[in-house]
Every structure is written in structure tokens, then in C-alpha cells.
């Protein structure tokens, strides 16, 4: 945390690959500079973003574009147990309103607690392929144009879903489940 309104600006997509573990500290604000901006965490890499209630980690779009969808997405392919999102705010992402796009796409596995996803041209959150949660508690997804959460996964992948999650003011305040791929 550099103590600035925006600590880091990312042009394009930031890739975390290899066996790297990217740790983002409390209070850090990362701004993506346009609709193609985002971050991808590879299969063997990891991401640790643990903020606090007083000092959340914030991902946002350009200051000159206050619209939903002002940057693209964060995609996590990794299944490492140290993948953590706690007190993370993902604001105005999801520049692509495609059927499966969202500012946060989980294709691996993560712990996600006390996070906020606010604003998207499409869905708030997607889980695809074998994407799942070790834990998913006290998260808020709001102001997204489509579903709060869209998934195509088997119900066995949802053992980590806990309490206190809120979906509000989305186009559809629900989890869309692809019935062709799921046994409930």
C-alpha cells in the first residue's frame, strides 16, 4: 500500500504464472486502464489477497470511466489451497457482456470471504469447468446486469459455500445453474 488513491495501474492483462504466489497487501488499490485490463492466475501459480474491513484490497477501472464494465476480469485457474480473497472489492469490471463473462471467473479453487463484487455488464461471478470454493462466506454481489453468479458445475463442487452471502440489485439475484451439466 503506497498510500495513494491508486497504488498501481495495470495496462492490459497481468499474468501470474509458474509456481509464483502473488501476495497483495491490505489497502492496495489496483486500477486497470481499460476494457481489456485484467489479471489471470495460472494453474500452478497462486494468489493471496487478504485485506481487512478497514483496509480492503480494491480492483477498479479507469478514473475517467465510472461505468460498469470499465475493465475486463480476474480469472483464477489455480487450485492451490493458499488462493485467498478476503476483504477484496472488485468494482465496475466485466467489460464483456458475453454469456459466461464476469469480473471474477473461477476455473480453479479459492477461499473467498467478505468480498464485494459491484457492477458488471454481465454476470457478477462465474464458475466454469471444475471451478469451486474451499470457502465462500459473507460476500456481496450487486449491481450486475445479469446473474449474480453463473455456473455450469456439478453440485459436489459446492461444499465450501457458507452463510451470509448477499445478492442485491442485480439483473437476476440468483445463481444460474446449467441443468445439462449438474445433478442436484
Amino acid at each position: 500500500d503506497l498510500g495513494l488513491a491508486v497504488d498501481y495501474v495495470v495496462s492490459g492483462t497481468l499474468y501470474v504464472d509458474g509456481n509464483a504466489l502473488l501476495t497483495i497487501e491490505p489497502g492496495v488499490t489496483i486500477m486497470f486502464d481499460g476494457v481489456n485490463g485484467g489479471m489471470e492466475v495460472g494453474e500452478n501459480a497462486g494468489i493471496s489477497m487478504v485485506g481487512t474491513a478497514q483496509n480492503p484490497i480494491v480492483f477498479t477501472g479507469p478514473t475517467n470511466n465510472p461505468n460498469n464494465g470499465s475493465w475486463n476480469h480476474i480469472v483464477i485457474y489455480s487450485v492451490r489451497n493458499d488462493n485467498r480473497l478476503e476483504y477484496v472489492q472488485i468494482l465496475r469490471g466485466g467489460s464483456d457482456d458475453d454469456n459466461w463473462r464476469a469480473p471474477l471467473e473461477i476455473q480453479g479453487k479459492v477461499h473467498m470471504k467478505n468480498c464485494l463484487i459491484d457492477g458488471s455488464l454481465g454476470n457478477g461471478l462465474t464458475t466454469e469447468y471444475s471451478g469451486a470454493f474451499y470457502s465462500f462466506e459473507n460476500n456481496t454481489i450487486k449491481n450486475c446486469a445479469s446473474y449474480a453468479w453463473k455456473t455450469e458445475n456439478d453440485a459436489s463442487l459446492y461444499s465450501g459455500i457458507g452463510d451470509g452471502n448477499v445478492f442485491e440489485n442485480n439483473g437476476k439475484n440468483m445463481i444460474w445453474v446449467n441443468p445439462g451439466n449438474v445433478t442436484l
Side-chain angles (χ1 to χ4, degrees):
D1 181 3
L2 302 174
L4 304 170
V6 174
D7 297 294
Y8 300 95
V9 177
V10 175
S11 295
T13 301
L14 170 67
Y15 295 95
V16 183
D17 285 321
N19 291 322
L21 173 66
L22 176 62
T23 300
I24 300 176
E25 296 178 346
V28 170
T29 297
I30 296 174
M31 181 181 82
F32 297 103
D33 70 354
V35 295
N36 294 318
M39 181 170 61
E40 294 189 10
V41 180
E43 289 181 8
N44 297 315
I47 186 78
S48 177
M49 300 186 283
V50 180
T52 66
Q54 298 78 22
N55 291 301
I57 296 165
V58 177
F59 291 91
T60 190
T63 54
N64 65 350
N65 184 354
N67 300 308
N68 287 354
S70 63
W71 59 280
N72 198 3
H73 60 205
I74 297 170
V75 183
I76 301 173
Y77 298 101
S78 170
V79 296
R80 287 171 51 156
N81 194 40
D82 53 357
N83 289 332
R84 295 195 175 282
L85 284 72
E86 296 181 22
Y87 292 101
V88 174
Q89 297 179 1
I90 300 172
L91 310 176
R92 301 186 339 263
S95 63
D96 189 346
D97 63 355
D98 179 80
N99 191 30
W100 281 100
R101 296 297 161 240
L104 181 60
E105 299 178 30
I106 306 297
Q107 296 185 28
K109 199 165 182 181
V110 299
H111 296 275
M112 185 170 168
K113 297 179 181 180
N114 302 303
C115 293
L116 169 67
I117 298 173
D118 188 355
S120 170
L121 286 181
N123 305 299
L125 166 67
T126 60
T127 48
E128 298 180 74
Y129 307 106
S130 60
F133 294 96
Y134 293 109
S135 57
F136 187 85
E137 300 169 4
N138 300 314
N139 299 297
T140 299
I141 301 174
K142 64 181 187 175
N143 301 318
C144 299
S146 192
Y147 292 94
W149 180 356
K150 192 166 185 179
T151 186
E152 65 176 7
N153 295 340
D154 186 278
S156 66
L157 296 172
Y158 301 111
S159 61
I161 305 232
D163 296 325
N165 299 298
V166 176
F167 304 154
E168 61 185 20
N169 201 34
N170 297 293
K172 298 169 185 154
N173 285 319
M174 63 184 76
I175 300 173
W176 182 92
V177 179
N178 183 352
N181 298 331
V182 177
T183 302
L184 297 176

